[in-house]
Short mmCIF file of all heavy atoms in Angstrom, two decimals:
data_model
loop_
_atom_site.label_atom_id
_atom_site.label_comp_id
_atom_site.label_asym_id
_atom_site.label_seq_id
_atom_site.Cartn_x
_atom_site.Cartn_y
_atom_site.Cartn_z
N LEU A 1 62.17 30.06 -118.91
CA LEU A 1 61.79 29.27 -117.74
C LEU A 1 60.45 29.72 -117.18
O LEU A 1 59.59 28.89 -116.85
CB LEU A 1 62.88 29.39 -116.66
CG LEU A 1 64.20 28.66 -116.92
CD1 LEU A 1 65.24 29.04 -115.87
CD2 LEU A 1 63.98 27.15 -116.90
N ALA A 2 60.27 31.04 -117.09
CA ALA A 2 58.99 31.55 -116.58
C ALA A 2 57.83 31.16 -117.51
O ALA A 2 56.74 30.79 -117.05
CB ALA A 2 59.06 33.07 -116.44
N GLY A 3 58.08 31.21 -118.82
CA GLY A 3 57.04 30.82 -119.77
C GLY A 3 56.69 29.35 -119.65
O GLY A 3 55.51 28.96 -119.71
N ALA A 4 57.72 28.50 -119.48
CA ALA A 4 57.47 27.07 -119.36
C ALA A 4 56.70 26.74 -118.09
O ALA A 4 55.77 25.92 -118.11
CB ALA A 4 58.81 26.31 -119.38
N VAL A 5 57.06 27.39 -116.99
CA VAL A 5 56.33 27.16 -115.73
C VAL A 5 54.89 27.63 -115.86
O VAL A 5 53.95 26.96 -115.42
CB VAL A 5 57.04 27.88 -114.57
CG1 VAL A 5 56.18 27.85 -113.30
CG2 VAL A 5 58.39 27.24 -114.29
N THR A 6 54.70 28.80 -116.48
CA THR A 6 53.34 29.34 -116.67
C THR A 6 52.51 28.40 -117.54
O THR A 6 51.33 28.13 -117.24
CB THR A 6 53.42 30.73 -117.32
OG1 THR A 6 54.21 31.58 -116.50
CG2 THR A 6 52.02 31.32 -117.47
N ALA A 7 53.09 27.88 -118.61
CA ALA A 7 52.37 26.97 -119.50
C ALA A 7 51.97 25.70 -118.77
O ALA A 7 50.82 25.21 -118.90
CB ALA A 7 53.22 26.64 -120.72
N LEU A 8 52.88 25.14 -117.98
CA LEU A 8 52.57 23.93 -117.21
C LEU A 8 51.45 24.19 -116.21
O LEU A 8 50.49 23.40 -116.08
CB LEU A 8 53.82 23.45 -116.47
CG LEU A 8 54.79 22.55 -117.24
CD1 LEU A 8 56.06 22.35 -116.41
CD2 LEU A 8 54.14 21.20 -117.55
N ALA A 9 51.54 25.31 -115.50
CA ALA A 9 50.52 25.62 -114.49
C ALA A 9 49.16 25.84 -115.14
O ALA A 9 48.13 25.37 -114.63
CB ALA A 9 50.95 26.86 -113.70
N ALA A 10 49.14 26.58 -116.27
CA ALA A 10 47.88 26.85 -116.96
C ALA A 10 47.25 25.55 -117.46
O ALA A 10 46.02 25.34 -117.34
CB ALA A 10 48.11 27.82 -118.11
N ALA A 11 48.09 24.68 -118.03
CA ALA A 11 47.57 23.40 -118.53
C ALA A 11 46.99 22.57 -117.40
O ALA A 11 45.95 21.91 -117.56
CB ALA A 11 48.68 22.64 -119.25
N HIS A 12 47.64 22.59 -116.23
CA HIS A 12 47.12 21.82 -115.10
C HIS A 12 45.81 22.41 -114.58
O HIS A 12 44.86 21.66 -114.29
CB HIS A 12 48.16 21.81 -113.98
CG HIS A 12 47.67 21.17 -112.72
ND1 HIS A 12 47.34 19.83 -112.64
CD2 HIS A 12 47.41 21.69 -111.49
CE1 HIS A 12 46.92 19.55 -111.42
NE2 HIS A 12 46.95 20.68 -110.70
N LEU A 13 45.75 23.74 -114.48
CA LEU A 13 44.53 24.38 -113.97
C LEU A 13 43.34 24.15 -114.90
O LEU A 13 42.19 24.12 -114.46
CB LEU A 13 44.76 25.88 -113.79
CG LEU A 13 45.73 26.26 -112.65
CD1 LEU A 13 46.04 27.75 -112.67
CD2 LEU A 13 45.13 25.86 -111.30
N ARG A 14 43.58 23.99 -116.19
CA ARG A 14 42.50 23.74 -117.15
C ARG A 14 42.20 22.26 -117.31
O ARG A 14 41.39 21.87 -118.15
CB ARG A 14 42.88 24.33 -118.51
CG ARG A 14 42.95 25.85 -118.48
CD ARG A 14 43.38 26.42 -119.81
NE ARG A 14 43.48 27.86 -119.76
CZ ARG A 14 43.89 28.64 -120.77
NH1 ARG A 14 44.24 28.06 -121.92
NH2 ARG A 14 43.96 29.93 -120.64
N GLY A 15 42.90 21.41 -116.53
CA GLY A 15 42.64 19.99 -116.57
C GLY A 15 43.26 19.25 -117.73
O GLY A 15 42.90 18.10 -118.00
N LEU A 16 44.22 19.90 -118.40
CA LEU A 16 44.84 19.26 -119.56
C LEU A 16 45.95 18.30 -119.17
O LEU A 16 46.25 17.36 -119.92
CB LEU A 16 45.40 20.34 -120.50
CG LEU A 16 44.36 21.31 -121.07
CD1 LEU A 16 45.04 22.37 -121.93
CD2 LEU A 16 43.31 20.55 -121.88
N VAL A 17 46.63 18.56 -118.02
CA VAL A 17 47.69 17.65 -117.55
C VAL A 17 47.44 17.35 -116.08
O VAL A 17 47.01 18.23 -115.32
CB VAL A 17 49.10 18.26 -117.74
CG1 VAL A 17 49.40 18.49 -119.20
CG2 VAL A 17 49.24 19.55 -116.97
N PRO A 18 47.68 16.12 -115.64
CA PRO A 18 47.51 15.78 -114.21
C PRO A 18 48.61 16.39 -113.35
O PRO A 18 49.62 16.88 -113.85
CB PRO A 18 47.56 14.26 -114.20
CG PRO A 18 48.39 13.90 -115.40
CD PRO A 18 48.09 14.95 -116.44
N ALA A 19 48.41 16.31 -112.04
CA ALA A 19 49.38 16.88 -111.09
C ALA A 19 50.74 16.22 -111.21
O ALA A 19 51.78 16.89 -111.06
CB ALA A 19 48.85 16.75 -109.66
N THR A 20 50.76 14.91 -111.50
CA THR A 20 52.06 14.23 -111.61
C THR A 20 52.88 14.79 -112.76
O THR A 20 54.11 14.94 -112.65
CB THR A 20 51.84 12.72 -111.83
OG1 THR A 20 50.93 12.53 -112.93
CG2 THR A 20 51.26 12.07 -110.58
N VAL A 21 52.24 15.12 -113.88
CA VAL A 21 52.95 15.70 -115.02
C VAL A 21 53.45 17.10 -114.67
O VAL A 21 54.57 17.50 -115.03
CB VAL A 21 52.04 15.74 -116.26
CG1 VAL A 21 52.72 16.48 -117.41
CG2 VAL A 21 51.66 14.34 -116.68
N LEU A 22 52.61 17.88 -113.93
CA LEU A 22 53.03 19.21 -113.50
C LEU A 22 54.29 19.12 -112.63
O LEU A 22 55.27 19.84 -112.87
CB LEU A 22 51.90 19.87 -112.71
CG LEU A 22 52.26 21.19 -112.02
CD1 LEU A 22 52.58 22.27 -113.05
CD2 LEU A 22 51.13 21.65 -111.10
N VAL A 23 54.27 18.23 -111.63
CA VAL A 23 55.43 18.10 -110.73
C VAL A 23 56.65 17.61 -111.51
O VAL A 23 57.77 18.13 -111.33
CB VAL A 23 55.09 17.14 -109.57
CG1 VAL A 23 56.34 16.83 -108.75
CG2 VAL A 23 54.01 17.73 -108.69
N ALA A 24 56.46 16.61 -112.38
CA ALA A 24 57.59 16.10 -113.15
C ALA A 24 58.18 17.19 -114.05
O ALA A 24 59.40 17.31 -114.19
CB ALA A 24 57.13 14.91 -113.99
N GLY A 25 57.31 18.00 -114.65
CA GLY A 25 57.79 19.09 -115.50
C GLY A 25 58.58 20.13 -114.72
O GLY A 25 59.62 20.61 -115.18
N LEU A 26 58.08 20.49 -113.52
CA LEU A 26 58.80 21.45 -112.68
C LEU A 26 60.16 20.91 -112.25
O LEU A 26 61.16 21.63 -112.26
CB LEU A 26 57.96 21.82 -111.45
CG LEU A 26 56.66 22.60 -111.72
CD1 LEU A 26 55.87 22.78 -110.44
CD2 LEU A 26 56.98 23.95 -112.33
#
């Protein structure tokens, strides 16, 4: 779970996924 959250956050911070994808993933 921690790895998945970290991967989502890192991808969002690097502009790879939008905020909506980050929220949906969380």
Side-chain angles (χ1 to χ4, degrees):
L1 288 172
V5 170
T6 303
L8 275 172
H12 174 65
L13 291 173
R14 293 177 182 178
L16 299 177
V17 297
T20 52
V21 174
L22 172 65
V23 172
L26 293 175

